[in-house]
Amino acid sequence: KAKTLGRATYHFYDGEMGKQFTRNVRIESRLRQALLHESFELHFQPKVDIMTERCVGMEALLRWNDDELGVVSPVEFIPIAEQTGIILALGEWVFEQAFRHIVEWQEQGICVPPIAINCSAAQLKRADFLPNILALLDKYKIDPSLLEIEVTESILIEDAEGCAELLRQISRLGIKLAIDDFGTGYSSLSYLKDLPFDYIKIDQVFIRDITEDKNHAALTHAIIGLSHNLNLKVIAEGISDVKQLIMLQEFGCDIGQGYLFSKAMGANSMGSDPMIIALNEKDNPN
Ligand code: C2E
Ligand code: MG
Ligand code: MG
Ligand code: MG
């Protein structure tokens, strides 16, 4: 009997679950190393006005190329960082790094659009979340209107009231708020009317097949209409072809993001990016 059990256990650790577990443990330990050695990078993906295709903002996205693991996607390492608490230190690094880049761009004479930073629920739950942001804004002399924060609906599950109060404080400072990945979670627009969100980002799973799937098209159209009634601007994520763009224009979507316009780029590419150059020309005609 003991022998069969032993074999079963062996098979368990040798199987897919075991491999997944081993990889996750490895990622956790490499994440801690990466924090110490600052081997992360922040990249930036433009958001564009859907009618003019003019850049109206940038989303900061973490990139990690580990010495041992190679490139690991945030889709894989962010959940592990969240489960292990690493997201707190990593999140602070992201804010500080984003602000450093903003100052660098400003020093280079680059016209910087608002920068959106993704924040996990665990970060917002910390009492020092907002004080830390305020301290950094002050340290780098950055106007709060240059900062946007993207959160997913999951933040509202545990402590909706506490969260609402924090969001109101953030909003009063002039920091814009976006609800990310809309349509994949609880997706109730009703609670949005009581919260100070400025933007709703429709998840890319809807946009991906919007021109083939009538239901996704209808849903997207309806979400845009409802959002506008609630005074929210709509951002469509993951626009990758012109047919999707045209459809979203017809639906009255406000802002778009996706490979059709640009992938996320390194901070050093900013000065030479055509979209950013256009921004500068428009703002400084000479
Ligand atoms: P997200 O905030 O919804 O970001 C959008 C994701 O879609 C990004 O993936 C982006 O590269 C990708 N994307 C943009 N346009 C297209 C497109 O046209 N086609 C396709 N297939 N993908 C597109 P990425 O960079 O891998 O990030 C994945 C997720 O990881 C993010 O989803 C966000 O939830 C999380 N994340 C990334 N950086 C951070 C961070 O600094 N802090 C936190 N807490 N989470 C982050
Ligand atoms: Mg986001
Ligand atoms: Mg998203
Ligand atoms: Mg996402």
Side-chain angles (χ1 to χ4, degrees):
K1 180 124 211 240
K3 211 172 176 184
T4 5
L5 199 77
R7 265 181 74 186
T9 315
Y10 174 77
H11 280 291
F12 170 77
Y13 282 112
D14 202 33
E16 270 315 306
M17 268 174 87
K19 278 188 198 143
Q20 193 57 60
F21 178 77
T22 310
R23 176 157 171 92
N24 289 357
V25 171
R26 188 99 191 284
I27 288 177
E28 175 183 350
S29 112
R30 295 303 301 169
L31 275 174
R32 295 190 196 279
Q33 288 298 311
L35 264 181
L36 291 175
H37 301 111
E38 305 224 354
S39 49
F40 297 103
E41 240 183 87
L42 264 196
H43 281 205
F44 298 86
Q45 186 182 33
K47 298 177 177 177
V48 305
D49 178 305
I50 211 142
M51 297 312 288
T52 63
E53 291 182 40
R54 184 178 143 84
C55 179
V56 293
M58 293 273 180
E59 177 176 8
L61 292 163
L62 265 169
R63 295 291 175 259
W64 180 29
N65 189 352
D66 184 65
D67 287 343
E68 290 177 15
L69 297 168
V71 173
V72 187
S73 161
V75 177
E76 188 175 17
F77 73 75
I78 290 289
I80 296 171
E82 289 174 344
Q83 286 152 23
T84 54
I86 295 172
I87 194 70
L88 298 175
L90 185 53
E92 281 180 28
W93 183 87
V94 168
F95 271 99
E96 178 116 33
Q97 196 65 18
F99 288 4
R100 276 194 197 153
H101 284 311
I102 291 175
V103 171
E104 271 171 28
W105 293 324
Q106 286 173 338
E107 283 170 359
Q108 292 163 26
I110 297 169
C111 171
V112 186
I115 305 295
I117 296 187
N118 290 285
C119 292
S120 303
Q123 295 173 260
L124 274 86
K125 275 193 218 142
R126 300 283 302 203
D128 59 3
F129 178 74
L130 193 50
N132 281 349
I133 293 177
L134 287 173
L136 282 176
L137 286 168
D138 189 58
K139 175 176 168 188
Y140 290 97
K141 305 274 168 287
I142 289 170
D143 195 276
S145 65
L146 270 187
L147 178 61
E148 296 177 355
I149 290 178
E150 297 190 4
V151 295
T152 60
E153 295 152 289
S154 63
I155 57 151
L156 299 165
I157 302 172
E158 274 175 47
D159 177 17
E161 214 13 76
C163 182
E165 182 46 36
L166 173 65
L167 295 177
R168 279 191 284 271
Q169 288 173 4
I170 294 174
S171 178
R172 262 187 252 121
L173 289 165
I175 298 169
K176 294 261 176 23
L177 288 165
I179 191 115
D180 206 348
D181 301 346
F182 190 82
T184 58
Y186 297 82
S187 308
S188 156
L189 276 165
S190 65
Y191 62 65
L192 287 182
K193 73 177 193 309
D194 303 319
L195 295 169
F197 283 102
D198 302 281
Y199 301 105
I200 173 168
K201 299 188 79 173
I202 303 181
D203 196 81
Q204 43 181 300
V205 297
F206 294 95
I207 310 305
R208 194 176 298 146
D209 56 4
I210 195 177
T211 52
E212 275 105 51
D213 185 325
K214 285 210 171 75
N215 290 327
H216 279 177
L219 262 171
T220 302
H221 200 175
I223 292 170
I224 292 169
L226 281 164
S227 300
H228 285 166
N229 282 331
L230 295 170
N231 271 323
L232 294 162
K233 285 197 170 172
V234 183
I235 305 175
E237 301 190 304
I239 303 178
S240 50
D241 70 46
V242 176
K243 278 197 277 176
Q244 295 165 339
L245 173 63
I246 292 170
M247 189 168 235
L248 287 160
Q249 287 172 336
E250 283 167 0
F251 289 172
C253 185
D254 304 284
I255 295 167
Q257 211 178 353
Y259 296 167
L260 175 66
F261 309 113
S262 175
K263 287 194 171 190
M265 57 181 137
N268 295 335
S269 309
M270 208 63 75
S272 54
D273 186 70
M275 239 181 246
I276 300 295
I277 291 171
L279 257 191
N280 281 284
E281 283 164 355
K282 182 90 185 258
D283 287 351
N284 321 297
N286 31 323

